[in-house]
Amino acid sequence: MQLIDTHVHINFDVFQSDIQAVRDRWRSAGVTRLIHSCVTPAEFASIQSLANRFPELYFAVGLHPLDAEEWQPDSQDRIRSLANSDPKVVAVGEMGLYFYKAENRDTQKLVFESQLQIAQELDKPAIIHCRDAAADMAGLLQDFWDRFGTVKGVMHCWSGTPEETQLFLDLGFYISLSGIVTFKTASAVKESAKMIPEDRLLIETDCPFLAPVPKRGKRNEPAYVQYVAAEVAKLRNLSVETLADQTTNNACRLFGLGSK
């Protein structure tokens, strides 16, 4: 059984002391490829170093909405240049809208649209973070589609309702489920997990955050994507092997990883 963890942050300090052991565990769990997201372009060198060390690791470059105030006049050119500098850069992001207690919504929207333009120009998928902003996000994407054309991508660490999920399915996006889907209180996410078309479904850890049951409360790591896979398979009345095949094929298609 092969799994692809489509969203990790293993460059964070919490992994520095035992990264090789973490890798051994993800390989033992059947994780054959990983997509490393990027919070800020300043991380690029550290992520690239990990991608050079681990052949199964691919990565993205972008600016997280929580860091939107760091956007500079040359940020778009810098991200575009970095995205073109290494063949293992397979996406732009993570980008998006984070409206929970946010006072800079207009700035976030401008930064998000600037990165969508890069993704479209380079024909790379956008890794999108959306918190408390589904309606605004869908409206902004539809407006971008109308003015410039579509962009492919994924709604990562998705926690929306089925109605919100449908908004992004209608826009052609993939939906990636994280450890949240294993939480007892996550009823809306569990319902969303049942309705996502099989060719649009992805799984991730978003490690080191949001460790799934039965590891909740611990540092998350890529090996734990197996628990996300098991829960989503259960919700969809599938074998975990079938779910693994579907999500692996989807990740390969979206991120241009070739066949599994």
Side-chain angles (χ1 to χ4, degrees):
M1 183 175 74
Q2 297 183 36
L3 296 164
I4 296 181
D5 186 347
T6 61
H7 199 104
V8 304
H9 297 277
I10 60 171
N11 67 319
F12 285 10
D13 289 346
V14 293
F15 290 111
Q16 282 192 358
S17 64
D18 65 341
I19 187 62
Q20 186 58 53
V22 170
R23 188 207 188 190
D24 291 343
R25 287 193 291 272
W26 84 53
R27 295 179 75 179
S28 294
V31 178
T32 59
R33 276 165 285 191
L34 309 88
I35 308 297
H36 200 304
S37 193
C38 180
V39 174
T40 169
E43 291 185 307
F44 188 88
S46 67
I47 299 172
Q48 186 179 47
S49 178
L50 286 167
N52 290 337
R53 180 176 175 183
F54 302 136
E56 66 269 35
L57 184 68
Y58 299 82
F59 64 112
V61 58
L63 185 68
H64 192 285
L66 283 177
D67 298 299
E69 297 300 330
E70 296 182 11
W71 191 261
Q72 300 294 324
D74 66 343
S75 292
Q76 189 179 48
D77 288 340
R78 184 183 182 201
I79 292 173
R80 183 186 295 107
S81 177
L82 290 172
N84 276 320
S85 70
D86 191 314
K88 293 191 82 175
V89 176
V90 295
V92 180
E94 61 189 281
M95 63 177 86
L97 302 177
Y98 192 104
F99 282 180
Y100 179 69
K101 297 183 178 179
E103 298 180 355
N104 64 340
R105 296 185 177 194
D106 289 342
T107 298
Q108 287 191 33
K109 289 179 178 180
L110 289 171
V111 171
F112 178 43
E113 183 169 308
S114 295
Q115 293 182 88
L116 282 176
Q117 291 172 354
I118 300 169
Q120 185 184 63
E121 290 170 17
L122 302 183
D123 193 29
K124 295 184 185 294
I127 297 175
I128 296 181
H129 186 112
C130 179
R131 181 168 182 187
D132 291 359
D136 288 81
M137 172 73 73
L140 188 154
L141 288 170
Q142 186 62 64
D143 180 65
F144 188 93
W145 277 204
D146 293 343
R147 288 184 293 138
F148 305 112
T150 61
V151 175
K152 58 189 176 183
V154 55
M155 306 303 295
H156 111 87
C157 195
W158 185 243
S159 60
T161 65
E163 293 76 18
E164 291 170 336
T165 302
Q166 192 61 52
L167 292 175
F168 300 104
L169 290 172
D170 290 345
L171 287 163
F173 277 89
Y174 291 67
I175 307 293
S176 183
L177 300 173
S178 69
I180 293 173
V181 76
T182 70
F183 300 170
K184 289 182 179 179
T185 56
S187 56
V189 183
K190 292 178 187 292
E191 289 304 311
S192 291
K194 299 174 185 177
M195 62 171 284
I196 301 166
E198 68 178 49
D199 63 346
R200 234 75 86 64
L201 179 64
L202 299 173
I203 53 175
E204 64 173 86
T205 57
D206 198 17
C207 64
F209 312 108
L210 299 169
V213 176
K215 303 293 185 177
R216 192 171 184 186
K218 301 181 182 296
R219 179 193 69 178
N220 202 1
E221 60 179 75
Y224 298 167
V225 78
Q226 64 184 300
Y227 301 113
V228 180
E231 177 66 17
V232 176
K234 178 182 175 182
L235 290 166
R236 294 169 70 90
N237 295 313
L238 298 172
S239 69
V240 69
E241 291 80 9
T242 297
L243 190 284
D245 282 346
Q246 290 174 351
T247 55
T248 295
N249 288 333
N250 293 343
C252 289
R253 183 171 60 253
L254 178 63
F255 294 108
L257 305 180
S259 63
K260 67 174 186 176

